[in-house]
Amino acid sequence: MSTDQVIMAGGGIGGLGAALMLARRGVKVRVLERAPEFGEVGAGLQLAPNITRMLKEVGVFEKIAPVSVFPKRLVFMNAKTGEQLTTLDLADAERRYGAPYVVLHRSDLLNALLEAAQAEENITLHTHSMVEGIEDRGDRVVVRTAAGEEYTGELLLGADGLHSRVRKEIVHDEPINSGYVAYRGAVPVEDVDRRMAMDEVVVWMGPGMHLVQYPVRAGKLYNQVAVFRSQEFLEGKEDWGTPEELDRTYAGMCESVRVAIPSLQRNARWAMFDREPAATWTKGRVSLLGDAAHAMLQYLAQGAGQSLLDGAALARALPVLGEGAWSSEALADALQTYEDERVAFAGTVQSTARTWGDIWHVDGYVPMILRDEVFRSRDVYDYSFVDWLYGPVQDAVAAQPAADGAAQPVGAAPVVPSAAPAE
Ligand code: FAD
């Protein structure tokens, strides 16, 4: 049986994106997806400039641009009082970071990646292929699917999501349940009682809850994500985060939030899990990317984007190994280069996403007043809380003097301190 260069377990956004970027740099990839077909849930996704800049560099952005919406503003609102607290001018952010902020339907992103992958002769795609058995034999890795097929590769990459089978080979931990639940979905725009503009991404923040709204698919669909801390979960109920609890939680919010809730789909809900940052994603000939490597809470809207950054980093690190058999030493070096670029940074995004959620969800009168005052007093053109994530700031912008003649701050540290990656 022939040996593949890379076997990719999982064909979600992370797996297909990485396969595509690797294939375009000459690496042969076999993708094993457990589902009967490649697909995504019917909801939206935000991609910030740090992601779209990289997608432009690797020639993938042109695939998704036609199916993306380019909003003008990111708006933060108080969900209880209805007050607008601060905004991010996304046209100015595009100048600052050299790439746009886009929102799109998950299926549109996945289909764009899938079509591009299908056109690559270096990629072989399989569905109905659930990775079960993994055996690292030192000079190669053997993978067995639930259906009994066996594949041999130089490297196995686990892009198999939050409950990753591949991760078990490397990190001994479990997903962490935050006790929050999400109701989400993109529905025809005319089905939503919408109070905010169609060129805005809106975040409504309230005690133990938030609602995010934005248009997708050229404005035909409106995406909404309602997230709340479940009291039923805290009480230990098996059936928690129910539609009745959703209604109870949002009943106390301002009218613009309340009117949005009836248009949410209620037939499915998602418990919000993440994982602790891991110190390494690699063992021998097995490595990780995407949620399998760094599952995070969605409050920075970065999980899928970070998985695409993993793919880009792998596509820089692996092709140096060339077409012959990859020696264990050379492969270890290439994977170390990948980890040096990605592990600590993704860990910081994981930890900061938790803190960001805590800030959005503050409970109690005084904490809310303090949170709102920090947001309210922020200058619209103060980027110090996102430079670390969306940066680097483009040279032309960084060289411009500020109004008082001083140079603008570049690459400021996150306002929320980052935690060091832990085992
Ligand atoms: P997944 O999407 O989970 O894909 C894993 C794939 O592997 C699946 O296709 C699965 O079927 C397959 N698989 C699993 N096990 C096996 C196996 N044993 N063998 C073979 N195949 C297997 N991110 C953003 O960037 N922007 C956002 O705005 C954003 N919003 C979000 C909102 C919510 C409410 C949530 C919950 C998440 C959000 N995210 C966002 C995060 C994002 O959805 C994830 O980080 C991203 O989808 C992870 O992609 P992945 O390919 O790593 O994993």
Side-chain angles (χ1 to χ4, degrees), residues 10 13-14 32-34 46 106 129 131 159-160 290-291 301-305:
I13 290 166
L32 303 177
E33 165 57 47
R34 71 175 169 190
Q46 307 175 53
R106 283 167 178 268
S129 296
V131 169
D160 49 346
D291 275 9
Q302 282 280 325

Side-chain angles (χ1 to χ4, degrees), residues 54-298:
M54 175 277 295
L55 292 175
K56 281 182 168 192
E57 281 162 15
V58 298
V60 173
F61 186 70
E62 65 214 37
K63 299 270 169 223
I64 64 161
V67 290
S68 297
V69 171
F70 295 71
K72 288 206 180 105
R73 301 196 314 155
L74 176 54
V75 185
F76 290 90
M77 310 282 295
N78 182 312
K80 254 183 138 37
T81 64
E83 181 193 348
Q84 180 177 307
L85 299 172
T86 191
T87 66
L88 198 60
D89 176 339
L90 296 176
D92 191 63
E94 179 172 353
R95 272 191 296 281
R96 185 173 183 84
Y97 302 116
Y101 196 107
V102 303
V103 287
L104 73 173
H105 196 285
R106 283 167 178 268
S107 308
D108 293 343
L109 171 59
L110 192 93
N111 289 340
L113 295 173
L114 181 59
E115 273 172 29
Q118 283 164 335
E120 284 292 332
E121 60 178 31
N122 279 340
I123 299 181
T124 311
L125 297 167
H126 300 256
T127 50
H128 291 289
S129 296
M130 175 154 161
V131 169
E132 248 182 27
I134 299 165
E135 195 189 333
D136 187 342
R137 294 190 182 160
D139 60 345
R140 62 200 187 282
V141 57
V142 179
V143 172
R144 211 185 49 260
T145 70
E149 290 136 348
E150 214 172 82
Y151 301 97
T152 304
E154 310 253 356
L155 169 66
L156 169 65
L157 289 174
D160 49 346
L162 172 70
H163 299 285
S164 168
R165 161 68 188 88
V166 181
R167 185 178 173 105
K168 290 187 197 308
E169 299 292 305
I170 301 161
V171 189
H172 304 290
D173 67 349
E174 292 297 329
I176 297 166
N177 189 342
S178 69
Y180 278 72
V181 64
Y183 284 75
R184 59 175 166 168
V187 296
V189 69
E190 54 276 10
D191 292 355
V192 183
D193 190 349
R194 176 181 54 80
R195 303 293 163 94
M196 301 299 284
M198 282 295 279
D199 54 7
E200 291 175 335
V201 176
V202 187
V203 181
W204 300 88
M205 303 177 293
M209 58 71 68
H210 74 263
L211 171 73
V212 177
Q213 299 177 302
Y214 53 85
V216 292
R217 199 164 290 162
K220 291 194 188 75
L221 301 178
Y222 201 61
N223 185 65
Q224 303 193 102
V225 189
V227 177
F228 64 91
R229 182 174 52 227
S230 169
Q231 192 56 35
E232 293 171 346
F233 172 78
L234 294 175
E235 288 163 8
K237 293 192 177 151
E238 211 165 293
D239 186 26
W240 59 276
T242 56
E244 295 70 34
E245 193 177 15
L246 168 78
D247 289 335
R248 277 200 305 278
T249 305
Y250 283 77
M253 303 304 141
C254 71
E255 192 195 353
S256 298
V257 171
R258 282 199 316 272
V259 295
I261 302 307
S263 54
L264 283 168
Q265 292 162 352
R266 286 153 186 259
N267 50 358
R269 59 185 190 265
W270 285 265
M272 300 287 91
F273 286 86
D274 69 354
R275 291 203 189 237
E276 291 295 339
T280 181
W281 301 341
T282 303
K283 189 171 171 199
R285 287 181 177 264
V286 184
S287 193
L288 303 171
L289 68 106
D291 275 9
H294 46 66
M296 57 187 68
L297 298 174
Q298 78 278 20

